[in-house]
């Protein structure tokens, strides 16, 4: 639904609030079933109840809005994984499965947001926008670090035979989780056994 109510103008010093409202408007457009093509400067402005030129004080272009959305969602992913890890207790295997299942649950809960977190049409050439390679390279670093931590804990506990490249093992596990999450999002009826997630995690984590 389009926001047609007049928006109260932010007071001096509330520019950060407007930036948050712009990001929230972009997320709302995604959650309504659209994709990144639905997130334009004009549609975001309309959803936020502001004039389109007001966006330029905070974002140089549409991709920079999408980058802010992705950064926020990556932070939410890292928080969800960290919370799952903290609630899992000290057992390394339990920690690993808690973190991996939290990843899959988040992807299932917010499929539109999840899809744009990992690329899509919004990801432009860095030559064409204000986005830099450093912006893109940093995405997901905290979540990947946590995944490596719980994998390392399994190796230290003697329940997994890891390689000499823990980071590489974490990337492989992430890609496996991502593939499963993507299939669940795009396939009407997921083929395979009900415990496919457990099998995938067990195999990619090299659990004994």
């Amino acid at each position: 639904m389009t926001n047609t109510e007049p928006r109260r103008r932010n007071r001096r010093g509330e520019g950060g609030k407007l930036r948050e409202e712009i990001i929230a408007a972009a997320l709302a457009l995604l959650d309504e079933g659209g994709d990144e093509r639905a997130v334009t400067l004009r549609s975001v402005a309309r959803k936020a109840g502001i004039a389109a030129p007001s966006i330029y004080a905070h974002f140089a272009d549409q991709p920079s809005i999408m980058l802010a959305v992705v950064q926020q969602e990556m932070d939410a992913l890292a928080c969800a994984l960290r919370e799952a890890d903290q609630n899992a207790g000290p057992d390394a295997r339990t920690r690993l499965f808690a973190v991996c299942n939290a990843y899959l649950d988040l992807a299932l809960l917010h499929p539109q947001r999840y899809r744009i977190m990992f690329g899509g049409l919004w990801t432009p050439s860095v030559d064409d926008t204000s986005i830099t390679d450093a912006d893109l390279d940093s995405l997901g670093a905290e979540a990947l670090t946590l995944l490596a931590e719980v994998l390392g804990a399994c190796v230290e506990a003697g329940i997994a035979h890891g390689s000499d490249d823990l980071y590489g093992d974490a990337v492989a596990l992430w890609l496996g989780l991502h593939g499963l999450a993507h299939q669940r999002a795009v396939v009407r009826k997921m083929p395979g056994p009900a415990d496919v997630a457990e099998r995938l995690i067990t195999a990619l984590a090299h659990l004994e």
Side-chain angles (χ1 to χ4, degrees):
M1 180 180 295
T2 302
N3 183 2
T4 58
E5 295 183 4
R7 178 183 178 280
R8 182 186 65 81
R9 186 173 182 178
N10 285 329
R11 295 188 294 271
R12 185 183 299 274
E14 290 187 334
K17 181 179 179 182
L18 177 56
R19 186 179 190 279
E20 292 173 0
E21 291 172 352
I22 292 170
I23 296 172
L27 277 171
L29 290 167
L30 291 170
D31 288 343
E32 287 168 3
D35 58 23
E36 55 268 47
R37 289 170 294 187
V39 181
T40 65
L41 295 179
R42 183 170 296 179
S43 66
V44 169
R46 184 166 55 247
K47 176 65 71 173
I50 61 176
S54 301
I55 292 177
Y56 290 111
H58 302 278
F59 297 99
D61 47 26
Q62 188 268 2
S64 63
I65 296 176
M66 293 303 301
L67 175 65
V69 168
V70 171
Q71 288 171 330
Q72 179 172 296
E73 292 307 299
M74 284 292 188
D75 288 344
L77 172 63
C79 286
L81 300 191
R82 183 70 66 185
E83 182 178 1
D85 183 32
Q86 292 172 345
N87 292 337
D91 181 73
R93 184 187 293 267
T94 303
R95 290 176 61 197
L96 174 68
F97 277 93
V99 167
C100 291
N101 285 323
Y103 179 103
L104 294 171
D105 289 345
L106 184 141
L108 190 63
L109 184 62
H110 296 294
Q112 301 289 359
R113 299 185 188 191
Y114 178 78
R115 190 175 63 80
I116 62 99
M117 287 166 66
F118 297 96
L121 299 176
W122 78 270
T123 310
S125 165
V126 294
D127 296 330
D128 300 330
T129 85
S130 60
I131 293 176
T132 67
D133 283 331
D135 291 327
L136 300 177
D137 290 344
S138 64
L139 293 175
E142 185 178 353
L144 182 58
T145 297
L146 178 57
L147 202 55
E149 287 178 7
V150 294
L151 268 178
C154 289
V155 173
E156 290 178 8
I159 61 172
H161 55 282
S163 69
D164 294 331
D165 182 10
L166 187 60
Y167 175 81
D169 290 343
V171 171
L173 178 55
W174 185 318
L175 291 175
L177 292 171
H178 176 66
L180 178 57
H182 176 74
Q183 284 300 107
R184 285 178 169 175
V186 301
V187 177
R188 183 171 182 178
K189 181 173 176 56
M190 185 72 187
D195 65 345
V196 64
E198 181 178 353
R199 294 187 185 202
L200 182 144
I201 296 165
T202 299
L204 291 177
H206 309 294
L207 295 179
E208 302 288 355

